[in-house]
Amino acid sequence: MVNKGAKPGSATRRPTVEALEVLLQEPIKVLDHGFIRVVDYMGDDKAIVDAARVSYGRGTKTASEDRALIHYLMRHHHTTPFEMAEIKFHIKLPIFVARQWIRHRTASVNEYSARYSILDKEFYLPTEDQLASQSDENRQGRGKTLSSTESAQVLGILRQDAERNYEHYEWMLNADSKDGNRAGIARELARINLTLNTYTQWYWKIDLHNLLHFLRLRVDRHAQSEIRQYARQMLTVVQAWVPQTYEAFVEHRLEAINLSRTATSVVRRMIKGEQVTQSNSGLSKREWLDLLAGLAIAPEDDR
């Protein structure tokens, strides 16, 4: 099979995915200056079912049987076969998003080093619809959107601070000195003055199982908007790369709900026609609201 990412006339014997080959090396824009770019990948849907069936000593069967097996593996949390596929991204993102991202410790990461190199004068500025007050219910989330006047003030401050601090960064590096009279300080020290909305870059390699876990958490409505935008673009890459796995992931993880023992009991009572309220459900208010949201039931007063 010809590898479209290889030099003309060369070929590869490894599995390739045409839909992902089209995306290979092409930046996918995220936020104002960010992007994700697929650098390389290994494996496909077939690699997953081959790994699952290796104990049988024979290859894969029909496409419909492969699909059913992938759904079975996803439904029953048999994760090892999904670890047989890997992908490597080049990602450009604001530092504050990177600090959230790095909490997922299941990937291999190599970040652009401001000890060795000078960071570009690029920083993230949110759009007005992303500027909101602190949420009253979620201590790590956003609440009501700011007015146009307030948004303009906030954006002005963010832009002014980022530009001023970058100018100081350049001055400390002696980057704009023509006469050489200033020695400049070490890059590893000058960088500490930069704002958290400054862009950084890294290479990020991860297996499919852990990538899906990352995406399940980061496309969730509770995740911060900025990292959620990266996750949504990565989800489109997964769909192109392993469509059968993507389908199973959406069915059994992304759009499924997980019920605790008490929540399961509540659902059973509802099915029997019992009038269940938060006060007699055995659930906390937050658990109750999460259950109603998962069941697409509008909350009522002490329902």
Side-chain angles (χ1 to χ4, degrees):
M1 180 182 295
V2 175
N3 182 351
K4 295 182 179 180
K7 294 180 180 179
S10 65
T12 179
R13 299 175 69 178
R14 71 179 180 89
T16 58
V17 179
E18 184 175 353
L20 190 56
E21 290 288 323
V22 172
L23 298 177
L24 207 61
Q25 306 296 345
E26 296 294 332
I28 301 173
K29 182 177 174 59
V30 188
L31 301 181
D32 46 4
H33 301 293
F35 62 74
I36 64 169
R37 182 170 66 89
V38 181
V39 176
D40 200 2
Y41 68 99
M42 180 187 75
D44 54 10
D45 280 325
K46 186 176 182 295
I48 296 164
V49 296
D50 283 351
R53 289 192 174 119
V54 69
S55 60
Y56 293 96
R58 54 186 177 183
T60 58
K61 300 180 181 180
T62 66
S64 61
E65 289 175 307
D66 288 351
R67 176 182 176 276
L69 176 56
I70 287 175
H71 275 260
Y72 176 87
L73 296 171
M74 188 71 70
R75 186 168 66 251
H76 291 279
H77 298 268
H78 293 304
T79 60
T80 306
F82 297 105
E83 295 175 8
M84 300 300 157
E86 294 188 346
I87 193 165
K88 179 164 61 177
F89 290 97
H90 175 199
I91 303 168
K92 184 176 180 180
L93 68 173
I95 291 173
F96 75 92
V97 176
R99 298 294 79 83
Q100 289 182 315
W101 199 306
I102 205 67
R103 292 288 300 154
H104 299 269
R105 301 182 299 276
T106 50
S108 298
V109 185
N110 198 44
E111 185 174 0
Y112 185 100
S113 176
R115 294 185 68 193
Y116 307 129
S117 305
I118 298 174
L119 288 169
D120 293 331
K121 188 179 180 180
E122 290 183 323
F123 38 85
Y124 166 67
L125 292 175
T127 55
E128 284 195 13
D129 62 302
Q130 292 296 333
L131 293 174
S133 62
Q134 178 64 43
S135 171
D136 293 330
E137 298 178 353
N138 183 0
R139 283 183 289 182
Q140 60 178 358
R142 303 176 193 181
K144 184 179 178 181
T145 304
L146 301 181
S147 68
S148 297
T149 301
E150 292 171 323
S151 295
Q153 291 175 330
V154 170
L155 287 172
I157 291 172
L158 291 174
R159 182 181 293 106
Q160 180 182 3
D161 286 353
E163 290 179 346
R164 181 196 62 213
N165 282 23
Y166 193 88
E167 288 176 4
H168 292 167
Y169 170 65
E170 287 185 313
W171 184 88
M172 287 187 285
L173 290 171
N174 198 27
D176 62 345
S177 175
K178 304 299 182 183
D179 54 17
N181 291 331
R182 295 201 313 275
I185 68 170
R187 291 170 181 170
E188 65 179 19
L189 290 172
R191 64 179 175 169
I192 69 177
N193 192 51
L194 293 171
T195 51
L196 289 177
N197 60 344
T198 305
Y199 273 87
T200 185
Q201 300 182 39
W202 61 31
Y203 270 44
W204 194 70
K205 180 176 74 69
I206 193 167
D207 67 62
L208 180 57
H209 162 60
N210 284 297
L211 174 59
L212 295 178
H213 178 69
F214 168 85
L215 293 176
R216 184 180 66 83
L217 294 174
R218 294 306 182 177
V219 299
D220 185 86
R221 62 187 179 89
H222 295 100
Q224 184 166 342
S225 172
E226 286 77 13
I227 198 170
R228 197 162 67 236
Q229 293 183 54
Y230 282 90
R232 283 200 293 260
Q233 293 294 349
M234 296 175 83
L235 196 57
T236 65
V237 170
V238 171
Q239 185 177 16
W241 174 30
V242 281
Q244 291 180 334
T245 299
Y246 170 83
E247 178 188 13
F249 173 63
V250 173
E251 175 69 21
H252 303 290
R253 293 285 187 278
L254 198 58
E255 296 183 6
I257 61 173
N258 181 47
L259 299 180
S260 67
R261 180 180 61 179
T262 303
T264 302
S265 174
V266 167
V267 172
R268 288 172 177 159
R269 289 164 60 190
M270 288 178 172
I271 292 173
K272 292 178 181 179
E274 182 178 341
Q275 183 66 32
V276 185
T277 64
Q278 191 266 313
S279 58
N280 68 16
S281 68
L283 299 172
S284 68
K285 183 177 180 181
R286 185 166 186 174
E287 290 172 327
W288 174 252
L289 292 175
D290 285 345
L291 174 61
L292 295 185
L295 299 176
I297 298 175
E300 298 177 3
D301 292 339
D302 196 31
R303 183 181 177 91

